[in-house]
Amino acid sequence: MGSNSSRIGDLPKNEYLKKLSGTESVSENDPFWNQLLSFSFPAPTSSTELKLLEEATISVCRSLVENNPRTGNFGALIKVFLSRTKELKLSAECQNHIFIWQTHNALFIICCLLKVFICEMSEEELQLHFTYEDKSPGTYSSDSEDLLEELLCCLMQLITDIPLLDITYEISVEAVSTMIVFLSCQLFHKEVLRQSISHKYLMQGRCLPYTSKLVKTLLYNFIRQEKPPPPGAHVFPQQSEAGGLLYGLASGVATGLWTVFTLGGVGSKAAATPELSSPLANQSLLLLLVLANLTDAADAPNPYKQAIMSFKNTQDSSPFPSSVPHAFQINFNSLYTALCEQQTSDQATLLLYTLLHQNSNVRTYMLARTDMENLVLPILEILYHVEERNSHHVYMALIILLILTEDDGFNRSIHEVILKNITWYSERVLTEISLGSLLILVVIRTIQYNMTRTRDKYLHTNCLAALANMSAQFRSLHQYAAQRIISLFSLLSKKHNKVLEQATQSLRGSLSSNDAPLPDYAQDLNVIEEVIRMMLEIINSCLTNSLHHNPNLVYALLYKRDLFEQFRTHPSFQDIMQNIDLVITFFSSRLLQAGAELSVERVLEIIKQGVVALPKDRLKFSTSEFFTGFWPGTSEDGRKYLRHCSLIGRN
C-alpha cells in the first residue's frame, strides 16, 4: 500500500504494512500515516479472491498481533482515523477528495484488521489491543481505556451526521460495514452473549444517545435505496459495481450473522446472492437486523429493539408516552413502498416480519392500506417459488401471512381485490381472480410441495393455520381455488388409506413372525389424521360462516362427496363431519329432484337457490381449538409459537 495501487499478491511485501505491523512504534503524528493511507485497491469480486486476501495478509496480521502490545500501532491508526473524522463533515462540504479518500482508507485497514482480531482472539484480548501502550507490554493509561467506545461512537456519528454525497458514499458504506464486523463476535460463541463488549458500549455507554438516530438513518438508507455514484465521482478509482473491498468483507460476515439469527432447516439451500443496486441500503438493513436481534443485557433491555418497536408515522401527531424510550417518527408510506419492492431478499422479508410482529403502529398502518396486494403478492411469489428459496425465507413469508390473517378486516378485504393475469402462476391461466383465492392456491401448493419434498411438519401446520385464520371470511372463492381445497383433502385421504393398509399388513405379518420388528405406523396415522382434521375444520368453518358466499366450494364438495364417506363414522372426525355431511346431503337431495345430466351452470344455480332455503340453525357453530391454538397473537403463547415456527435463533 502507499501512493501506488496495490495488488493482493504484493501485500505481504508491502513496506508500509511491514512498518505498521513491525516492532517500531509509530506516533500518530508521524508523516508515515499519510503515506500508508494513500493507496487504491482493486476489490475482490468473489469469495475466492476474498480468501486470497486473507491468506496474503495473514503474516502481516500475525506480526501486528505479536508486536502491538509493545508498539501500540493499532491504537495509533485508530487515533489517526478519529482525528480525521472530526473534519470529515467540513471536508465533504469543501469537496476535499483527498482527505476523504485517506480517511476511507484508514477505516478500510481498521476493518480488515478488526475482522482478523475478532476471528483469532477472545473479546478480552481484543479489548487489550485497543488499550495497549507502547514500550510497556500489557499496560495502559486511563486516557486510552475508551478508545474502542470512541471508535464506535465515531462510526455512529459518521453514519448519522455525514451528508450522503457522491464523495462520501463509500465511506458511509464502510462505516456501516465496520459496525457489522464489530458485532460479529457472536459468531464465535456458542452461548448467547449478554455481557459482551457490544452490550457494554452499544447499550449502556456513550453510544446510547445515538440509538434512535441510528435506527432512523438505517431505515431511511433502506427506504431510499441510493445507488453508488457513477465512475469518476468516486474519491478513488471505481472498485466494483457492488461496492468496495470492505463491503465484500463485511457482507460475508453479515451472511454468517444472518444464519445465526434465522436458522434454516435440514437441507436448506443457500440464499442466492442477488445483484445489489444499493450496497448502502443492503448493509444498512443487515446492521439494523443485527442490532434489533441483540439480546437484552443483564441489566438493560436492547434499546435498538425498543426503537424499532415504538417508532411512529410522521403524520401521527399524538405525543409519545414518557415511558417509551428512543422513539422517533418516519414516513410510513415510503417505508411501505420500499418493503413492497424489496421482498426478493430474505433480509427485507425478515424486516417486514419484525415490524409487523413488534411495532403495532406499523401493523395497524399496513392493515389499513387499500393496496395490500402490493405487499401480499411479493410474499405469495416467495412461497410459489419455494423450490428456489431457502427455508428461513419461506418460513418468514408464512409467518407474515399468519400475522396478516389474524386480522378479520384483512381476511375480508383480500376477497374484494380482483387481480388480472398473474403471469408467475404457471399451473393454470388466471385471467381474473381475487387476491384471497390466489392466496389459498399458493398456500395449498406449498402444502403439497412440502408433502412430497421436504415433509416438514411445522411448514404444513403454518400453511393450514393461515387457511384456518381466513376460512370464516372466505368469499366468492374462485372455482379453481375451491377445487384445490378438495383436491388437497383427496390427497390426504389417499395417504391415510395407504398408511392404514400398510399398518394392517404389518400387523398380520407380525402375527406370523415374532422376530420381525413392527413399524410405528400408529405415529404416521396420528400425523395424517391431525392434518385431515385441520382440513375438515377449514371446510367446516367456511360452510358455517359463509356458505351463501361460496357456491363453488359447495359444488366441489358435491362433485367429490364420496371422499367424505369414510370419515362420517370415524371416531376422530364424527363431530366435525356433522355440518359437512348435512350440506352434502341437503344439496345432493335438491340435485336429485332437479333431474339428471345437469349443466355446470344449472348445478350452481340450484346451489345458490338452496343456500337461501337451508335453515341456518341446522348448522352447528363451534369454536375449535385449532383456530385459537395457531393464531399468532400478541400473547406470550403467541410469541412462543411465532418464535418456534419461524425458527428465529435469537429474539
Side-chain angles (χ1 to χ4, degrees):
M1 295 187 176
S3 58
N4 297 320
S5 296
S6 302
R7 294 179 301 176
I8 290 178
D10 298 332
L11 294 180
K13 301 176 182 178
N14 186 282
E15 59 179 298
Y16 299 102
L17 290 179
K18 282 185 175 182
K19 185 172 182 178
L20 173 67
S21 60
T23 58
E24 179 186 349
S25 185
V26 183
S27 167
E28 59 200 83
N29 299 316
D30 196 297
F32 160 79
W33 299 109
N34 285 329
Q35 298 169 330
L36 172 69
L37 302 178
S38 299
F39 67 87
S40 58
F41 196 90
T45 57
S46 66
S47 58
T48 302
E49 292 181 0
L50 287 172
K51 186 176 181 181
L52 289 175
L53 173 64
E54 293 183 0
E55 292 175 349
T57 56
I58 190 65
S59 60
V60 173
C61 293
R62 286 176 178 172
S63 178
L64 183 64
V65 169
E66 180 181 352
N67 295 322
N68 192 59
R70 290 177 291 275
T71 65
N73 286 345
F74 183 61
L77 172 61
I78 292 174
K79 291 176 182 178
V80 169
F81 169 73
L82 293 175
S83 66
R84 286 172 173 268
T85 55
K86 295 175 182 178
E87 302 177 37
L88 199 58
K89 192 171 184 178
L90 180 61
S91 298
E93 294 173 356
C94 298
Q95 298 285 306
N96 190 336
H97 290 229
I98 299 298
F99 189 89
I100 296 175
W101 170 42
Q102 291 187 341
T103 307
H104 164 275
N105 287 346
L107 182 56
F108 168 82
I109 298 175
I110 290 171
C111 188
C112 290
L113 294 174
L114 184 62
K115 181 175 183 289
V116 174
F117 286 179
I118 290 174
C119 292
E120 298 293 330
M121 61 186 66
S122 67
E123 285 195 307
E124 292 75 15
E125 292 173 317
L126 172 65
Q127 195 165 20
L128 287 176
H129 276 277
F130 280 85
T131 57
Y132 279 135
E133 288 293 318
D134 58 336
K135 300 181 181 179
S136 301
T139 64
Y140 56 88
S141 59
S142 58
D143 62 346
S144 63
E145 287 182 1
D146 297 325
L147 189 59
L148 177 52
E149 184 177 23
E150 191 174 349
L151 174 62
L152 279 173
C153 285
C154 176
L155 291 174
M156 295 175 81
Q157 290 173 352
L158 198 159
I159 295 168
T160 58
D161 294 344
I162 300 301
L164 187 59
L165 308 171
D166 282 354
I167 61 174
T168 60
Y169 186 93
E170 290 291 341
I171 196 169
S172 295
V173 173
E174 296 183 359
V176 174
S177 300
T178 304
M179 287 198 68
I180 294 176
V181 171
F182 172 75
L183 290 166
S184 66
C185 292
Q186 179 66 78
L187 289 174
F188 306 97
H189 292 80
K190 293 182 180 179
E191 72 283 357
V192 177
L193 293 178
R194 297 187 185 277
Q195 294 182 334
S196 65
I197 296 176
S198 60
H199 288 83
K200 177 182 177 182
Y201 292 124
L202 293 176
M203 297 190 183
Q204 303 174 50
R206 289 158 50 195
C207 297
L208 189 60
Y210 294 96
T211 297
S212 58
K213 196 172 183 180
L214 177 63
V215 171
K216 183 176 182 178
T217 301
L218 295 175
L219 276 172
Y220 269 126
N221 286 346
F222 167 71
I223 290 170
R224 289 166 179 153
Q225 294 289 318
E226 291 283 353
K227 296 182 179 180
H234 288 263
V235 297
F236 46 91
Q238 174 76 3
Q239 296 179 349
S240 74
E241 293 183 359
L245 169 61
L246 187 54
Y247 167 76
L249 292 172
S251 181
V253 171
T255 300
L257 281 169
W258 170 260
T259 62
V260 170
F261 293 121
T262 55
L263 306 178
V266 177
S268 175
K269 297 180 182 178
T273 303
E275 184 176 344
L276 298 172
S277 60
S278 176
L280 179 60
N282 185 71
Q283 294 300 89
S284 295
L285 175 55
L286 290 173
L287 176 57
L288 181 66
L289 291 172
V290 173
L291 290 170
N293 284 282
L294 289 175
T295 53
D296 294 338
D299 55 349
N302 180 348
Y304 305 94
K305 184 175 181 179
Q306 288 181 320
I308 287 175
M309 291 174 63
S310 60
F311 71 83
K312 299 193 305 182
N313 194 356
T314 50
Q315 296 181 354
D316 187 347
S317 58
S318 61
F320 285 103
S322 57
S323 59
V324 178
H326 314 298
F328 62 92
Q329 290 180 294
I330 201 168
N331 188 305
F332 276 17
N333 183 60
S334 299
L335 177 61
Y336 180 80
T337 301
L339 286 168
C340 292
E341 294 174 348
Q342 299 300 320
Q343 288 307 304
T344 52
S345 73
D346 41 11
Q347 55 264 37
T349 304
L350 180 56
L351 176 63
L352 174 59
Y353 158 77
T354 301
L355 295 177
L356 281 172
H357 181 45
Q358 297 182 357
N359 191 312
S360 59
N361 299 320
V362 173
R363 183 168 61 251
T364 300
Y365 173 85
M366 289 188 176
L367 288 171
R369 295 281 303 203
T370 58
D371 59 347
M372 277 298 292
E373 67 273 14
N374 291 337
L375 185 66
V376 176
L377 282 174
I379 298 299
L380 295 183
E381 197 167 355
I382 293 169
L383 296 177
Y384 187 78
H385 297 293
V386 60
E387 306 93 339
E388 303 168 13
R389 303 293 180 182
N390 53 54
S391 60
H392 56 251
H393 201 179
V394 172
Y395 266 99
M396 284 297 98
L398 279 175
I399 298 300
I400 288 168
L401 289 183
L402 278 173
I403 295 174
L404 294 175
T405 58
E406 185 188 19
D407 183 78
D408 287 343
F410 171 84
N411 293 331
R412 287 191 295 269
S413 65
I414 57 175
H415 292 288
E416 299 169 359
V417 178
I418 304 302
L419 307 171
K420 307 279 189 180
N421 299 319
I422 308 301
T423 56
W424 49 262
Y425 192 94
S426 59
E427 272 82 355
R428 179 166 173 162
V429 176
L430 300 176
T431 54
E432 184 173 289
I433 189 172
S434 71
L435 178 60
S437 290
L438 180 64
L439 194 158
I440 293 168
L441 286 175
V442 173
V443 170
I444 288 176
R445 183 181 184 275
T446 306
I447 295 172
Q448 292 183 318
Y449 172 82
N450 180 59
M451 290 173 64
T452 58
R453 304 283 186 89
T454 56
R455 299 181 181 179
D456 183 337
K457 176 182 177 182
Y458 294 108
L459 187 66
H460 73 239
T461 300
N462 285 338
C463 290
L464 290 168
L467 293 178
N469 287 350
M470 297 170 56
S471 57
Q473 281 84 32
F474 282 171
R475 295 289 188 277
S476 304
L477 289 183
H478 191 280
Q479 61 178 9
Y480 186 52
Q483 290 172 17
R484 297 303 290 162
I485 291 173
I486 305 304
S487 295
L488 176 59
F489 184 81
S490 175
L491 178 62
L492 292 168
S493 177
K494 290 177 182 178
K495 282 186 173 291
H496 180 268
N497 293 338
K498 182 178 180 180
V499 173
L500 191 61
E501 182 182 352
Q502 289 174 336
T504 303
Q505 292 177 352
S506 177
L507 183 60
R508 290 172 181 170
S510 66
L511 294 177
S512 59
S513 175
N514 295 328
D515 297 331
L518 184 64
D520 188 9
Y521 288 109
Q523 183 177 357
D524 293 341
L525 268 177
N526 183 59
V527 171
I528 293 176
E529 289 181 357
E530 179 186 339
V531 177
I532 288 176
R533 183 172 180 86
M534 291 177 184
M535 282 300 302
L536 290 173
E537 291 274 14
I538 291 166
I539 296 171
N540 179 66
S541 175
C542 177
L543 296 179
T544 304
N545 294 280
S546 54
L547 175 65
H548 57 294
H549 288 298
N550 293 290
N552 284 326
L553 181 61
V554 177
Y555 182 97
L557 271 174
L558 295 173
Y559 189 75
K560 292 286 187 179
R561 55 183 173 270
D562 292 345
L563 286 173
F564 300 89
E565 285 291 334
Q566 61 179 308
F567 301 105
R568 182 180 298 171
T569 57
H570 195 292
S572 299
F573 309 114
Q574 275 183 314
D575 59 331
I576 202 67
M577 276 297 300
Q578 291 181 24
N579 285 341
I580 298 174
D581 188 39
L582 172 63
V583 170
I584 291 175
T585 302
F586 177 83
F587 286 98
S588 295
S589 173
R590 294 183 71 89
L591 290 176
L592 284 174
Q593 294 174 13
E597 298 183 4
L598 301 173
S599 66
V600 174
E601 291 77 13
R602 178 57 182 153
V603 171
L604 286 172
E605 182 182 345
I606 293 171
I607 290 172
K608 292 175 182 178
Q609 294 171 351
V611 166
V612 178
L614 177 64
K616 299 294 185 293
D617 56 357
R618 295 181 62 183
L619 294 174
K620 296 181 180 181
F621 287 81
S622 63
T623 302
S624 167
E625 290 182 3
F626 173 67
F627 296 122
T628 56
F630 289 94
W631 283 11
T634 55
S635 65
E636 181 58 27
D637 288 341
R639 285 192 292 271
K640 288 179 180 177
Y641 174 73
L642 282 169
R643 284 197 293 269
H644 179 58
C645 290
S646 61
L647 301 183
I648 292 292
R650 305 280 188 268
N651 224 5

